[in-house]
Amino acid sequence: MTEPIWRRNATELAGMVADGDVSAREVVDAHLARIDEVNGWLNALVVVDTDGARTAADQIDRGRAAGEPLGPLAGVPFTVKDGLDLAGHPTTYGIAAFADNVAPVDDPTVGRLRAAGAVPIGKSNQPEMAMRLATDNTLFGLTRNPWHPDRTPSGSSGGEASAIASGMAPMGVGTDLGGSVRNPAYACGIAATKTSLGRLPVHGTTPAAAEPLLGRQWMAVAGPMARSVADLAAMMRATVGRHPRDPRTVDVPYDGAGFVRRVAVPTELPGGPIHPDAREAVHRAGEALAAEGWEVVDATPPEMELCYDLWGRLVGEDFPTTLHALDEFMSRDGSHLMRSSIRFWPAGEVAPQVVHVERLRLARQWALFLDEHPVVVLPTWYQPPFAHGDDLADDIGVVRALYDGVFTPITAANLLGLPATQVPVGCNDDGVPLGVQFMADRHREDRTLTAAAVVEAAHPPITPIDPVTH
Amino acid sequence: MDELCTKTASQLAALIAAGETSSTEVVEAHLDRIDEVNGHCNAITIVLATEARAAAAAVDTAMAAGEEQGPLAGVPCTVKENLDLAGTPTTQGLPVFAELVAPSDAPVVERIRAAGAIPIGRTNLPELGLRITTDNPLHGLTRNPWHPDRTAGGSSGGEGSAIATGMSPLGLGNDIGGSVRNPAFCCGISSLKPTHGRLPTFSAFEHNQDPGLASQVMRTEGPMARSVADLRLAMEVLHGRDPRDARSVTIPLDGPEFSLRAAVLRTVPNVDCHPSVVAGVDTAAAALADAGWEVVDATPPEMELCHDLWGQLLAVDVANVMEAARAILSPELAALLDTLAEDYSVESTAPTRIVAEVARLGREWGLFFVDYPVLIMPTWTRPQPEHGFDLESRDDTPDLLACITPPNLLGLPSAAVPVGVSDGLPQGVQCVADCWRDDLALFAAGDLEAALGAITPIDPVA
């Protein structure tokens, strides 16, 4: 074995454990050692379940020795975003008041990964209530981006991305209401899929989180994060489908009907400003697909700026209620995004029924567009990852400009319940990761991941890396 | 009645496919039946005789040439007048839309045609489909073939009356508050309100596109027929994603294996069910037990809250459209909708709160279905009232629909099926299952039908 275990992808590790090339215990121990080595600096993991992970690994090894069938991810360590329940560990949401809020059972998606043989090794940091584009909170502090000490890993699943990019875990689960798996995957140079509405079950046992309001119900989903596209697909296969604890979920088969290899690669992108790196990233993806015989069409999906505005309207309806319930537990920095959003999209400024009707109309426009173009490539963000704290500016105009650079390309997938897979496409000349996202019709993660795999083959994964500390 | 008009859609398809009869003979028999009984029932608003004969001749020619045919090849069907059927008006029961000819088919019409079915007529409904009886200023009153003074139900009352009398074996309706189940109950036929999202909805008319939240999350198209096997066959050709309806999904109809355990609701919380309704549920429970089901008395979670939230959500839509719609509605319907909006008077921010509650209730019911894969409960809580009862007093209507609305609120599949006749009027129950388990709802309904038999078609009782 020439390469250290912790550098291996999830599917590689699953194959090695299944073949007996390595034991689950060795895999877990290698990752625990890597956590010891780099987590002190990165502060990505807030719980490391050394004993639990070793016990689970030993059980898998005993099962294998006894000839029992192994799950498809047997022995593969994974991490879980703080805000998702992992049985026996606190779900804190990054808030001190919830520091002892121990989950009695796994979130359904976490439970399915465990049932597939994967081994939870820790929980990862997030901003308070997952409501920032950076990862910092008063309970656990700042999470760093392994690529640069001053740059945010983004958020809200920033702990996941930082841990996976630095080799502490090969895969993890995050959540995404406004890019929260794609944002940090982009900033940290890994892959992640914001799943279609209804694909992966999510249900928190904390009363405050159990009954999401309308915006969250329609737009917030769980999503796999990993360093390779194959790993995302393996996680999807292990976790999709209806679960009685999440009535939104559906049993749409993971593999959909075959599709024409045609991709929309828009040169005209609405809103902005758009950094040249974002255009370069899309260009790289288009070139890679064209080289593999895909028909590349210059077409822009419908009304992206209106999608962004309606996304703002929906969260703007939810946030006052959420803030009312949680404000006393949150720091000023922690509630900055919610307070800013309430200023940008005041509840009632656009009547809710208009938002609901327009959302359905846009969903149809996009579905028809995606019927014609089975995959579309967009920049993940219009702008490069920013420095720690930039999202907390006092000047509301500065905040809005930052949001526009992030949310214009990000939020259509949330508003419309569409899948979006972010993959890195190498770095720029200064060593900053570039990323694109592939979108497709609802429940067609097979399309986004097929396209992502083609581009990944041309622009191989750029992680794991050792943290850059100066 | 010609024997062909007593056959189910599946039987007719098999007879035509086997060459034992022709599509032309089948269509002619149904056209004759319409001539015979529609004058009394007033169920069918437009008879598509010329088009249907041409389509039947085409099927027969293709059949003779040995061409492959769809599973409903040559079988007549009817379509409610709020679904687009190319070349005929989508009136929604409103005089103002009397000439509003659809340029194209709704997705479900397109699919049933693609399966070989032949639209033979359009069917009546109340204005905008927003009553549970069937009468309107455009086409007038539709009668229940079982009793001249009792309602045929609504809003798909034309379908219910036409199918129950043998004018059509199969129809397409829709359901936001029981509109395929109410008339199925009233007229003694079967229908399925599918899981929300199984059947795509689209209209070429902009005013029918992109409705408000209540309609978006609670309304679905649904098949109606005299046999459960026909509902199943219809679902096979109707279900699945259409990009024109972003909510629609393709999910296999058959889910994982399940245990034969049914919850039976004999006592509806805080509603006095009529003895004939309770007797119908008892009949169904006994029939399932005889068929090998474990039958357990159990009440699903928070039915009253479900019913109330359904009303609140609907009231939000109604309040939003009333200003624009008032001018084109009859004063009677406008008054009814005003009352509904008042009864449930809700704040404009209600959707956010209601939808959070719906998620919780969806989970509670989902867990209930883990224990009991099928729920048997009343359709209406009392027998078919007289025409127009819903306009005279709204006092009783909420109780009447207590079991109808939870499946709309929660998106659940519900099959309405007749279980007998009492005092000359059909009795019926609903078979409800978890979301996407339309197969279970239909399986239980099929067992009831096998044990208790169909009670239609009948000659109208004048």
Side-chain angles (χ1 to χ4, degrees):
Chain A
M1 219 179 297
T2 53
E3 205 170 22
I5 289 171
W6 61 265
R7 298 191 65 88
R8 304 273 184 171
N9 291 336
T11 38
E12 286 181 83
L13 291 170
M16 291 164 69
V17 170
D19 293 345
D21 296 339
V22 66
S23 69
R25 177 60 183 264
E26 287 172 284
V27 172
V28 162
D29 282 345
H31 286 87
L32 289 170
R34 179 66 178 171
I35 293 168
D36 268 351
E37 193 182 344
V38 300
N39 194 46
W41 166 254
L42 293 172
N43 192 35
L45 298 184
V46 295
V47 169
V48 180
D49 187 9
T50 304
D51 293 342
R54 284 181 170 150
T55 302
D58 288 346
Q59 257 175 6
I60 286 164
D61 290 332
R62 277 196 302 274
R64 186 179 180 281
E68 291 166 15
L70 293 180
L73 291 168
V76 181
F78 73 104
T79 40
V80 178
K81 186 180 185 178
D82 181 321
L84 289 167
D85 287 350
L86 177 67
H89 298 282
T91 302
T92 75
Y93 305 105
I95 293 175
F98 293 109
D100 300 318
N101 182 39
V102 175
V105 292
D106 287 336
D107 173 271
T109 290
V110 173
R112 284 180 175 167
L113 286 174
R114 208 196 277 267
V119 177
I121 197 169
K123 295 199 75 176
S124 62
N125 205 18
Q126 64 171 59
E128 294 168 55
M129 292 312 292
M131 285 297 171
R132 265 184 72 183
L133 287 169
T135 298
D136 192 0
N137 60 55
T138 51
L139 181 60
F140 297 118
L142 179 77
T143 294
R144 290 197 172 80
N145 186 330
W147 289 88
H148 197 286
D150 301 330
R151 198 184 302 145
T152 179
S154 186
S156 65
S157 312
E160 280 304 317
S162 178
I164 293 165
S166 61
M168 290 191 258
M171 64 181 188
V173 196
T175 53
D176 191 320
L177 166 68
S180 281
V181 305
R182 289 164 290 158
N183 303 329
Y186 168 71
C188 296
I190 66 164
T193 295
K194 181 255 164 222
T195 54
S196 304
L197 182 63
R199 268 286 189 211
L200 306 190
V202 180
H203 178 228
T205 53
T206 310
E211 315 306 342
L213 301 173
L214 188 148
R216 181 170 285 274
Q217 273 193 45
W218 278 359
M219 304 199 297
V221 297
M225 304 174 74
R227 292 188 297 266
S228 86
V229 174
D231 289 358
L232 297 181
M235 292 179 76
M236 287 296 296
R237 288 181 190 281
T239 52
V240 295
R242 181 148 179 95
H243 193 290
R245 285 171 61 197
D246 186 346
R248 301 174 303 171
T249 47
V250 293
D251 277 328
V252 178
Y254 174 76
D255 292 304
F259 62 98
V260 180
R261 271 22 180 194
R262 184 187 307 124
V263 58
V265 182
T267 51
E268 282 195 28
L269 292 166
I274 300 164
H275 192 278
D277 281 357
R279 294 193 186 278
E280 168 63 17
V282 169
H283 177 72
R284 287 184 190 180
E287 293 275 288
L289 289 164
E292 287 303 309
W294 286 54
E295 180 189 351
V296 174
V297 180
D298 186 352
T300 305
E303 303 182 59
M304 282 172 58
E305 285 175 290
L306 181 58
C307 290
Y308 169 32
D309 186 65
L310 293 178
W311 174 86
R313 302 291 163 192
L314 282 175
V315 298
E317 290 286 332
D318 280 13
F319 284 168
T321 308
T322 310
L323 260 185
H324 180 73
L326 293 167
D327 208 14
E328 61 176 307
F329 305 117
M330 296 181 74
S331 69
R332 291 293 287 172
D333 288 352
S335 63
H336 187 281
L337 181 141
M338 283 199 277
R339 287 183 287 109
S340 303
S341 298
I342 288 169
R343 287 182 67 173
F344 298 143
W345 303 287
E349 188 180 73
V350 175
Q353 65 266 23
V354 172
V355 175
H356 305 151
V357 166
E358 281 290 275
R359 173 181 178 261
L360 187 62
R361 183 182 67 77
L362 287 172
R364 183 174 58 257
Q365 299 305 328
W366 274 71
L368 292 167
F369 180 86
L370 294 168
D371 201 41
E372 181 72 27
H373 311 92
V375 175
V376 58
V377 183
L378 291 173
T380 305
W381 285 10
Y382 280 175
Q383 294 295 325
F386 52 86
H388 295 298
D390 278 3
D391 59 320
L392 298 176
D394 291 328
D395 182 337
I396 200 74
V398 171
V399 173
R400 183 61 194 245
L402 185 142
Y403 284 12
D404 291 351
V406 172
F407 289 136
T408 308
I410 278 285
T411 48
N414 297 97
L415 178 78
L416 307 174
L418 303 174
T421 295
Q422 130 76 30
V423 285
V425 284
C427 293
N428 71 7
D429 293 341
D430 298 324
V432 178
L434 304 186
V436 294
Q437 56 179 335
F438 300 92
M439 294 177 65
D441 200 7
R442 192 179 285 188
H443 304 126
R444 295 311 302 264
E445 284 83 355
D446 59 332
R447 291 183 182 174
T448 68
L449 290 172
T450 297
V454 170
V455 172
E456 181 189 57
H459 299 278
I462 54 177
T463 59
I465 59 167
D466 288 321
V468 177
T469 56
H470 55 275
Chain B
M1 189 176 344
D2 189 310
E3 202 193 326
L4 287 174
C5 296
T6 69
K7 303 287 185 192
T8 67
S10 315
Q11 289 168 341
L12 291 172
L15 289 170
I16 294 168
E20 290 175 33
T21 187
S22 67
S23 175
T24 298
E25 285 173 286
V26 172
V27 163
E28 292 297 342
H30 285 84
L31 289 172
D32 287 348
R33 181 65 176 167
I34 293 170
D35 272 349
E36 187 184 351
V37 300
N38 195 47
H40 172 80
C41 291
N42 192 35
I44 295 186
T45 54
I46 296 177
V47 183
L48 301 167
T50 309
E51 298 87 337
R53 284 182 173 126
V59 168
D60 291 336
T61 305
M63 200 76 76
E67 290 172 23
E68 184 132 342
Q69 300 291 300
L72 285 166
V75 178
C77 69
T78 35
V79 179
K80 187 179 180 180
E81 225 168 59
N82 65 356
L83 286 164
D84 288 356
L85 187 143
T88 68
T90 307
T91 71
Q92 302 198 72
L94 296 176
V96 69
F97 293 151
E99 309 294 332
L100 197 67
V101 174
S104 53
D105 286 341
V108 286
V109 174
E110 196 177 279
R111 286 177 181 177
I112 210 155
R113 272 202 225 252
I118 297 174
I120 196 171
R122 307 298 317 259
T123 57
N124 206 15
L125 76 167
E127 293 165 81
L128 295 179
L130 285 178
R131 280 178 64 187
I132 55 174
T133 57
T134 297
D135 191 1
N136 63 53
L138 180 63
H139 298 304
L141 179 76
T142 293
R143 284 185 203 285
N144 185 330
W146 292 87
H147 195 296
D149 302 327
R150 301 300 181 99
T151 182
S155 64
S156 313
E159 286 300 329
S161 180
I163 294 167
T165 51
M167 290 192 264
S168 164
L170 178 65
L172 296 174
N174 29 59
D175 190 321
I176 191 173
S179 282
V180 305
R181 291 164 291 153
N182 303 329
F185 166 75
C186 289
C187 299
I189 65 163
S190 297
S191 67
L192 178 71
K193 183 206 93 65
T195 304
H196 190 78
R198 276 228 185 260
L199 304 192
T201 294
F202 183 73
S203 167
F205 299 110
E206 260 185 46
H207 62 262
N208 292 341
Q209 295 170 3
D210 309 322
L213 183 66
S215 190
Q216 282 187 35
V217 304
M218 302 202 299
R219 180 190 180 280
T220 174
E221 324 293 14
M224 305 173 72
R226 290 189 299 270
S227 94
V228 175
D230 287 358
L231 300 178
R232 168 75 202 207
L233 179 57
M235 285 302 289
E236 280 166 13
V237 304
L238 294 175
H239 87 100
R241 176 119 177 128
D242 184 306
R244 290 171 292 181
D245 184 350
R247 301 162 301 171
S248 59
V249 293
T250 304
I251 296 179
L253 280 181
D254 288 311
E257 285 197 17
F258 58 97
S259 50
L260 294 179
R261 190 185 313 114
V264 175
L265 183 72
R266 297 178 210 260
T267 309
V268 181
N270 283 316
V271 176
D272 283 329
C273 283
H274 189 278
S276 83
V277 168
V278 178
V281 174
D282 289 343
T283 301
L288 284 185
D290 285 347
W293 290 66
E294 182 188 346
V295 175
V296 184
D297 279 18
T299 306
E302 304 182 55
M303 287 195 60
E304 288 169 279
L305 179 60
C306 290
H307 186 52
D308 190 54
L309 290 175
W310 172 85
Q312 290 186 32
L313 208 46
L314 192 62
V316 173
D317 269 18
V318 167
N320 289 333
V321 302
M322 271 316 277
E323 196 183 318
R326 192 177 303 277
I328 58 172
L329 300 179
S330 68
E332 292 79 14
L333 183 66
L336 181 73
L337 296 180
D338 284 340
T339 313
L340 175 81
E342 269 168 43
D343 282 358
Y344 290 102
S345 75
V346 287
E347 70 281 23
S348 67
T349 55
T352 297
R353 171 181 56 78
I354 295 170
V355 171
E357 279 284 85
V358 170
R360 182 181 66 77
L361 290 164
R363 184 168 49 255
E364 300 291 338
W365 278 64
L367 294 168
F368 178 84
F369 287 121
V370 171
D371 292 336
Y372 310 102
V374 171
L375 165 67
I376 304 297
M377 64 177 175
T379 314
W380 281 8
T381 56
R382 60 195 166 93
Q384 298 77 350
E386 297 194 346
H387 299 297
F389 74 98
D390 58 323
L391 292 181
E392 279 156 26
S393 163
R394 269 189 38 79
D395 294 350
D396 295 336
T397 306
D399 278 2
L400 185 74
L401 297 180
C403 297
I404 284 288
T405 55
N408 294 100
L409 184 80
L410 305 175
L412 305 169
S414 174
V417 62
V419 295
V421 178
S422 170
D423 285 337
L425 292 169
Q427 295 167 287
V429 297
Q430 299 181 78
C431 306
V432 185
D434 196 10
C435 281
W436 313 109
R437 296 314 303 265
D438 308 61
D439 58 332
L440 295 190
L442 290 173
F443 186 86
D447 274 2
L448 291 177
E449 180 185 82
L452 303 169
I455 59 173
T456 58
I458 60 166
D459 288 320
V461 177

